[in-house]
Amino acid sequence: MRPARRDTPRTLPARLLTGLAALIGLVVVGALCPGAALAQSPAARSAGVPSAGAQAAGLHIGDGRLLEGNGNDFVMRGVNHAHTWYPGETQSLADVKALGANSVRVVLSDGHRWSENGPADVAAVIEQCKANRLICVLEVHDTTGYAEDAAAGTLDHAADYWIGLKDVLAGQEDYVIVNIGNEPWGNTDPAGWTEPTVAAVKKLRAAGLQHTIMVDAPNWGQDWQGVMRANARSVYDADPTGNLIFSIHMYSVFDTAQEITDYLNAFVDAELPILIGEFGGPADQYGDPDEDTMMATAEQLRLGYLAWSWSGNTDPVLDLALDFDPSRLSGWGERIFHGVNGIAQTSEEATVYGDGAPDDTEAPTAPGAPSATAVTDSSVTLGWAAATDDTAVSGYDVVLVGDGTSSTVASSTTTTATVTGLTAATTYTFAVHARDAAGNRSARSATVEVTTDGGGTPGGACSVGYRVVGEWPGGFQGEIAVRNTGSAAIGPWTLAFAFADGQTVTNMWGGTATQDAGAVNVAPASYTATIPAGGTVTLGFTARKGDTNTAPAAFRLNGAVCATP
């Protein structure tokens, strides 16, 4: 039986979530006073130990920030990857780098619950991270849900595992962060998290590990009872080097903007280092995480984030890439890599990989014009001639082009990609950009026009009116009025349009929307299936948005371009 890719169940009963999640904003934060927040513990200062910044050999903490050895502020933009369950998927590190990530959190096992990742394997993972110019967060997953899940291991056992890898980790302080144990406490008596966390930190330092240490929160990582938030100062001060960063996991407990901003700002105001070590966007049975606010706040505060997860989840709703294929990003994957405040927009490579050489500012040449094969009613495979670069081409982005705008609909590390989620009997225009490892993007290739197979009644003369009915931080309500200006009824029908700013439809009435990146296709409800001659059907919807909310530039009804008065 395939092991669960994501072993972080949110087991809090649904009836408690509504009331108890609010406690995140109510926990007393006296322990987070900013005045005492320095990159060195009081014990170390009184003993005359130099500050962490002065003695740092690699990644370290200074004034509440994660810094590189040269003092550069490093903000993680990356994903989680389940190496321990999928050890053959080593190409994944190159794939996430090609999509713009600057870091990756790698799932390992200390042997308590799953097969141990031994020294040779861990050394190989580190070298693969370095070869792909990624900062590597290594974590033990066996601790997940301790005190509630009987199969979970202890932080003490995880600490012994890291000490056993001391020779492998030595000298890798510039490239590796040690995440002691994943979500190391469940919902049962989460106050019990503090003491073993402090003990594990002290044990690693006593053994001589100098790496930045990352610690996860209790409550399956979500800290909905505020234990990590209230005890962060004492845990931080337990590290004599001051090189410790906190990791909060944000799923359905964090479903409002206030909860997210309150939690992250409490740490920032106290100059205590924090990042979002895992987060999800798709809704589950407990709620709908507000990933837009998570990403926007992380960018505003310059905090790291690591999305869960690249591929292989037992429930594929959280897969960023389908079947480990970088050319088949899910809607969740498109949001993370190409959406507003996503990885492509905000990621900056660690300067440790610059090797003192000038920054790579030369973009690749434009790829060849794409050609279409295997056209179906809902997909098309595109191929193109390779681009060239002064260093190396790391990937390609396929874009949907329309009326002066374009949006990414597929990415690939090869010269082919399959675009899915298309509407039957609809004409699309595609082009390709090339990217290098430094994030330079080529000019757009020449375009190709593709008409998908099948479809219902051809679209006649039509016009579409689009308006925003109401707007609020992170979301809005819209309305689309589709008018048949011809002399014959239209039906069945499909309506296609594209958002340019990462907007995502969350609910629709009058029709059913499917979305792939920015491209939206709408099928009618039973009561709107036919648009009579001279008649109008109205669609209403709600959607998530970022700071910009540009209206779609064009609408196609059964493939025909509609007027937009």
Side-chain angles (χ1 to χ4, degrees):
M1 176 178 177
R2 174 178 283 187
R5 163 70 177 82
R6 175 181 148 71
D7 191 45
T8 14
R10 297 181 289 284
T11 58
L12 182 66
R15 65 180 179 273
L16 293 180
L17 273 174
T18 301
L20 293 178
L23 289 176
I24 293 174
L26 299 177
V27 174
V28 176
V29 294
L32 296 182
C33 294
L38 299 171
Q40 186 182 21
S41 73
R45 289 196 298 273
S46 64
V49 178
S51 70
Q55 64 179 349
L59 290 160
H60 62 284
I61 303 301
D63 296 325
R65 305 290 302 170
L66 177 63
L67 307 175
E68 295 188 70
N70 63 3
N72 179 65
D73 194 73
F74 182 67
V75 180
M76 290 191 202
R77 289 288 182 267
V79 304
N80 287 262
H81 170 57
H83 173 73
T84 197
W85 300 303
Y86 301 101
E89 298 293 344
T90 54
Q91 176 64 29
S92 295
L93 298 184
D95 291 339
V96 299
K97 176 62 178 182
L99 288 165
N102 65 16
S103 46
V104 62
R105 181 171 179 257
V106 180
V107 178
L108 301 176
S109 172
D110 64 4
H112 176 84
R113 189 167 185 175
W114 297 285
S115 297
E116 179 179 341
N117 296 97
D121 185 35
V122 175
V125 167
I126 294 171
E127 290 309 307
Q128 288 161 7
C129 284
K130 292 166 67 176
N132 288 289
R133 304 168 75 88
L134 293 164
I135 295 301
C136 200
V137 179
L138 302 177
E139 63 104 339
V140 163
H141 215 74
D142 307 65
T143 56
T144 306
Y146 182 79
E148 186 171 351
D149 187 339
T154 65
L155 281 171
D156 186 64
H157 190 272
D160 287 340
Y161 172 74
W162 295 120
I163 292 168
L165 292 172
K166 183 178 176 180
D167 290 345
V168 170
L169 298 172
Q172 305 298 335
E173 291 84 356
D174 276 313
Y175 311 97
V176 172
I177 291 174
V178 174
N179 190 177
I180 306 177
N182 182 68
E183 302 180 0
W185 209 276
N187 292 324
T188 302
D189 186 26
W193 166 90
T194 305
E195 184 177 345
T197 300
V198 166
V201 170
K202 290 182 175 180
K203 190 171 191 176
L204 293 180
R205 294 308 188 206
L209 269 74
Q210 294 298 312
H211 305 71
T212 293
I213 289 174
M214 184 182 294
V215 296
D216 284 8
N219 296 127
W220 301 92
Q222 296 196 82
D223 200 29
W224 60 267
Q225 290 176 295
V227 170
M228 185 172 82
R229 179 171 166 173
N231 291 279
R233 173 62 58 201
S234 62
V235 173
Y236 184 82
D237 286 345
D239 183 354
T241 74
N243 294 323
L244 182 145
I245 187 168
F246 296 95
S247 174
I248 183 66
H249 293 182
M250 290 187 166
Y251 293 99
S252 54
V253 164
F254 290 89
D255 57 359
T256 68
Q258 193 69 51
E259 290 166 339
I260 295 161
T261 56
D262 282 355
Y263 195 93
L264 296 176
N265 274 294
F267 282 79
V268 172
D269 290 346
E271 296 186 17
L272 285 169
I274 191 168
L275 84 160
I276 307 174
E278 285 185 23
F279 69 106
D284 60 21
Q285 67 267 39
Y286 300 119
D288 187 2
D290 184 359
E291 71 275 16
D292 292 338
T293 298
M294 297 174 200
M295 296 168 72
T297 306
E299 181 61 14
Q300 176 192 1
L301 298 176
R302 298 289 290 162
L303 302 179
Y305 68 63
L306 300 166
W308 189 279
S309 70
W310 177 239
S311 197
N313 288 283
T314 302
D315 181 355
V317 70
L318 284 170
D319 283 354
L320 296 162
L322 306 180
D323 297 322
F324 295 92
D325 184 348
S327 70
R328 299 172 60 210
L329 294 184
S330 65
W332 173 225
E334 289 289 351
R335 175 70 188 91
I336 289 299
F337 287 105
H338 302 306
V340 176
N341 297 310
I343 286 173
Q345 284 187 1
T346 64
S347 177
E348 298 178 13
E349 185 176 83
T351 60
V352 71
Y353 292 115
D355 300 324
D359 291 339
D360 179 6
T361 59
E362 184 175 336
T365 62
S371 58
T373 59
V375 180
T376 71
D377 62 347
S378 62
S379 66
V380 60
T381 298
L382 301 172
W384 55 88
T388 60
D389 187 55
D390 61 328
T391 55
V393 174
S394 59
Y396 297 90
D397 296 325
V398 177
V399 294
L400 177 66
V401 181
D403 297 317
T405 64
S406 65
S407 57
T408 302
V409 292
S411 297
S412 176
T413 55
T414 68
T415 55
T416 62
T418 298
V419 182
T420 60
L422 305 179
T423 300
T426 301
T427 300
Y428 296 89
T429 302
F430 298 103
V432 184
H433 293 273
R435 286 179 283 100
D436 63 20
N440 300 307
R441 200 182 197 201
S442 76
R444 199 174 75 191
S445 72
T447 61
V448 63
E449 194 170 87
V450 180
T451 302
T452 51
D453 295 339
T457 305
C462 57
S463 67
V464 172
Y466 176 92
R467 72 185 183 104
V468 173
V469 176
E471 200 163 358
W472 55 90
F476 70 102
Q477 180 179 333
E479 181 181 275
I480 304 171
V482 185
R483 179 173 176 77
N484 178 2
T485 59
S487 58
I490 299 175
W493 54 265
T494 57
L495 181 71
F497 61 92
F499 284 123
D501 301 318
Q503 301 99 318
T504 304
V505 175
T506 56
N507 188 35
M508 177 171 280
W509 48 99
T512 301
T514 57
Q515 185 166 351
D516 188 358
V520 181
N521 292 286
V522 181
S526 59
Y527 56 90
T528 60
T530 300
I531 311 174
T536 300
V537 297
T538 301
L539 311 171
F541 68 93
T542 56
R544 300 190 186 99
K545 70 173 185 67
D547 294 334
T548 307
N549 188 19
T550 308
F555 295 85
R556 294 175 183 266
L557 187 67
N558 285 353
V561 178
C562 298
T564 51

